[in-house]
Amino acid sequence: ARTPEAHEVEHTLAAAGAHVRGGNLTGSGPVGRAADAVRDALSLNTNYDRDRLRNFVMWGWGGGGGLFTGWDSAFDAVDAALVSRTLAVQHETDVFEAPAPPNQVPLQGPRYDQQNSGPMHAYAVWRLYTKFGDRSVLEKAYPALVTFHDLLPEWDTDKDGLLETPYFGDRIGGRGNHLGLDDSPVYAAYHRIAKQGGSGDKRDNTDLTDVALNSYYALLAETLAKMARVLGRPEDATRFAAQHERIRRLLNDRLWHPEKGLYLSRYLDGTWNEVVTPTVFYPMYAGLATPERARILVERHLLDPEEFWGDYVVPSVARNDPAYCSGGPVHPSSGHFRFFDRYGEGSAPEQWKGAVWPPMNATVYDGVKRYGFDDVAGRFAARSTAMYLDAWDKENWFPESFDPEPGQSIMDSAVDTAWRTYSWSNAMAVQGLHELISDNPWDGDPSALMFGTLSLPGTNTVANVQLRGHTYAVSAGPDRTTLVRDGRTVFRATGARVAVRNFVLRGSGASFDINADGPARVEVFAEDGRARGRKVPGGRTHVSL
């Protein structure tokens, strides 16, 4: 009837925004505010499967096509679970009901030509279970994932129990497609070996025993063992647990370079592939690294600014590796390189010779957190989130990859909208949100929680997080951490920063492991209404109250 006044428009928008934040994922603080960005970004990329009448996350807004069953979608499920249980479960259900892609192994579910796809979808499905306690997706996914696992030995060229990378052709680029690491220089020099038999996949074998591929192989076995226990399949659980242990032993015997202190890929003639990328940390993600080797990886390599550390983490090739930023023209303001001057410059992108890739960051973060390096995990998550928010604040972009050098606009001239709004980008910020509160995807009680942080900057909050039938909010700062469940405070720590694991609240109390950066007082407010508290020293303590 009339054109509204400007103040009326602003009021309407403010009221709508408050309504969204009131009932959906939201947060505040240097890292916590990424909750609103992730919520909005995933909402933008939510699409509808009109054949199956449910939603899924499209990898890139405007990218076209239907559901993508590669490894990208596994990260989307983990990230979407923070925003909407319904979206995450529908998305992953769609993956396992999607038909096999044409000209590929007839496997319903994750893409078999990406050997990381099955393990990542197993990990995503398991995290939906640990977050929500719903067995339905486990039951649907399990048969396809077992088939996926049992096909993988066709890539064991020498039949020693470790896998070699598949052959993707002699063309430049794409040799790392089996892991979505398309042009990673790790795969530049492998040699083709004719494959005998197999599933019908037409790719040949090679001579490169791949650290990353075997880490995913182990992750799949470990996750299937956990699923089998939940689903009441003890013989399967024993088989897959033994497989994980076998890979752990073989990888540590054959792919640990003692002089360099790194897990490195190796050719069948015994020579090392010495290109250093973030995949050297993947054995931590899969639970394969020994505690001592994990410490070496983190302290000697991850935290070394000459290799991986810095404000812009982690580059897809170590900064001191000869392959780092070795392909494109040098950008005068960075001293290293540029991504694009203009769209279509195929020689300028350093996508796999330096660019920061969200899946790599998420994998490294999870490995560091899994092995208990809480301080490093928090600092890593803060850097990942800051990079994501920098692009979001400046451009409202959440791009496919990020610049590892300061002073450049991320993916500046990638004019295809899909690359500027790439769904897996949210994995950068979700690290910080998982630092504040998360399910427990590793050892121990799968219904337990992790929350709190030793090293996120400032005070951060996140609210309206759905876990195991409850709604949680967390506030974590320098001297106070609070956990609220269904509107009621159930945990408080004062006097120091704390990171809490394996938190299980019962009617008469709680048990948990706490890592504090100084002496602190902890209190639990159980369902019986009683408050229980005690003091804990700095460092790690197991608490039962």
Side-chain angles (χ1 to χ4, degrees):
R2 68 177 181 84
T3 303
E5 298 294 333
H7 73 279
E8 295 176 298
V9 174
E10 294 292 345
H11 176 77
T12 300
L13 290 172
H19 175 72
V20 168
R21 290 188 293 275
N24 295 283
L25 182 71
T26 190
S28 65
V31 172
R33 71 184 183 88
D36 292 74
V38 168
R39 181 198 67 224
D40 292 349
L42 281 166
S43 298
L44 178 68
N45 281 22
T46 297
N47 212 325
Y48 187 66
D49 182 341
R50 61 187 180 187
D51 295 327
R52 298 178 180 83
L53 308 181
R54 55 177 171 246
N55 290 331
F56 65 92
V57 179
M58 171 61 77
W59 57 270
W61 185 65
L67 176 72
F68 181 64
T69 61
W71 74 320
D72 311 45
S73 289
F75 291 95
D76 294 339
V78 173
D79 299 344
L82 271 170
V83 173
S84 166
R85 170 181 175 171
T86 300
L87 173 60
V89 171
Q90 288 187 350
H91 171 88
E92 203 61 13
T93 301
D94 232 35
V95 169
F96 284 91
E97 292 187 355
N103 303 318
Q104 291 187 27
V105 174
L107 176 73
Q108 194 173 45
R111 279 178 53 176
Y112 184 64
D113 66 321
Q114 289 190 328
Q115 270 76 36
N116 58 8
S117 187
M120 284 309 306
H121 280 286
Y123 186 65
V125 167
W126 178 248
R127 294 202 72 160
L128 294 185
Y129 174 73
T130 56
K131 285 175 183 287
F132 305 127
D134 185 350
R135 288 172 40 132
S136 63
V137 185
L138 289 188
E139 291 166 349
K140 180 173 289 295
Y142 185 79
L145 292 169
V146 170
T147 300
F148 198 112
H149 172 276
D150 290 348
L151 289 173
L152 289 175
E154 70 178 311
W155 308 109
D156 183 358
T157 306
D158 61 349
K159 310 304 179 188
D160 68 343
L162 295 178
L163 304 184
E164 281 69 49
T165 178
Y167 178 70
F168 262 100
D170 291 323
R171 64 187 176 87
I172 296 174
R175 288 186 140 214
N177 277 346
H178 64 299
L179 301 184
L181 307 180
D182 306 349
D183 302 314
S184 175
V186 170
Y187 306 106
Y190 62 51
H191 298 95
R192 182 179 190 174
I193 298 175
K195 185 169 68 177
Q196 305 297 320
S199 67
D201 188 298
K202 298 185 183 304
R203 290 170 296 168
D204 278 329
N205 293 121
T206 71
D207 62 343
L208 182 63
T209 309
D210 190 345
V211 166
L213 178 55
N214 284 287
S215 296
Y216 285 119
Y217 190 25
L219 177 71
L220 180 54
E222 178 188 46
T223 309
L224 287 173
K226 294 175 182 177
M227 290 183 180
R229 294 185 193 105
V230 173
L231 296 175
R233 298 170 178 262
E235 292 183 0
D236 282 7
T238 299
R239 174 167 83 97
F240 290 122
Q243 171 72 347
H244 181 267
E245 173 59 24
R246 186 180 307 112
I247 300 169
R248 186 197 66 79
R249 176 178 51 80
L250 290 170
L251 186 135
N252 278 284
D253 284 348
R254 302 182 189 180
L255 299 185
W256 175 257
H257 195 300
E259 288 77 26
K260 293 182 179 292
L262 289 168
Y263 291 102
L264 292 176
S265 297
R266 198 170 190 177
Y267 297 100
L268 292 181
D269 66 4
T271 59
W272 294 95
N273 181 316
E274 298 190 9
V275 178
V276 178
T277 78
T279 61
V280 300
F281 305 111
Y282 284 20
M284 296 175 63
Y285 181 54
L288 301 174
T290 67
E292 176 60 19
R293 289 176 180 180
R295 186 190 62 78
I296 292 170
L297 288 169
V298 171
E299 295 179 359
R300 191 186 300 177
H301 300 285
L302 179 62
L303 294 178
D304 182 357
E306 296 297 317
E307 289 188 71
F308 291 105
W309 202 241
D311 291 334
Y312 295 74
V313 296
V314 281
S316 50
V317 173
R319 302 181 197 278
N320 60 357
D321 191 285
Y324 180 70
C325 297
S326 60
V330 172
H331 191 292
S333 67
S334 76
H336 286 277
F337 75 99
R338 62 191 179 202
F339 266 110
F340 293 90
D341 261 355
R342 63 187 67 84
Y343 184 70
E345 277 196 344
S347 64
E350 295 284 358
Q351 289 186 316
W352 292 105
K353 295 180 180 179
V356 176
W357 289 85
M360 281 187 151
N361 269 36
T363 301
V364 174
Y365 169 79
D366 274 8
V368 170
K369 192 70 175 177
R370 176 174 187 165
Y371 274 75
F373 296 97
D374 290 324
D375 175 63
V376 178
R379 288 188 281 154
F380 189 96
R383 284 161 168 77
S384 295
T385 305
M387 294 174 71
Y388 176 94
L389 288 173
D390 183 56
W392 180 264
D393 291 342
K394 289 177 180 176
E395 310 284 359
N396 277 153
W397 291 349
F398 40 104
E400 183 185 17
S401 59
F402 292 81
D403 192 336
E405 296 290 335
Q408 300 172 62
S409 181
I410 297 164
M411 295 294 276
D412 187 24
S413 297
V415 297
D416 183 344
T417 304
W419 311 115
R420 292 179 172 183
T421 56
Y422 207 91
S423 56
W424 74 14
S425 185
N426 294 287
M428 296 286 279
V430 166
Q431 296 163 53
L433 302 179
H434 276 167
E435 186 75 3
L436 293 172
I437 184 168
S438 173
D439 56 309
N440 175 37
W442 304 305
D443 299 325
D445 187 339
S447 68
L449 299 182
M450 299 192 295
F451 62 90
T453 180
L454 294 187
S455 47
L456 292 185
T459 297
N460 294 277
T461 71
V462 63
N464 299 323
V465 177
Q466 306 296 316
L467 292 168
R468 292 271 171 163
H470 298 283
T471 301
Y472 289 91
V474 174
S475 174
D479 57 6
R480 179 180 291 259
T481 298
T482 304
L483 177 70
V484 177
R485 187 172 87 171
D486 300 330
R488 185 175 67 86
T489 299
V490 296
F491 173 93
R492 182 167 55 227
T494 54
R497 285 191 178 275
V498 300
V500 177
R501 293 172 182 256
N502 301 312
F503 182 84
V504 178
L505 185 68
R506 302 182 179 89
S508 59
S511 64
F512 52 91
D513 299 307
I514 188 168
N515 189 4
D517 70 356
R521 176 168 178 79
V522 297
E523 298 172 280
V524 170
F525 307 91
E527 295 173 2
D528 63 6
R530 293 180 55 194
R532 298 167 173 81
R534 59 166 284 189
K535 291 183 178 180
V536 297
R540 300 178 186 277
T541 308
H542 177 73
V543 177
S544 293
L545 289 173

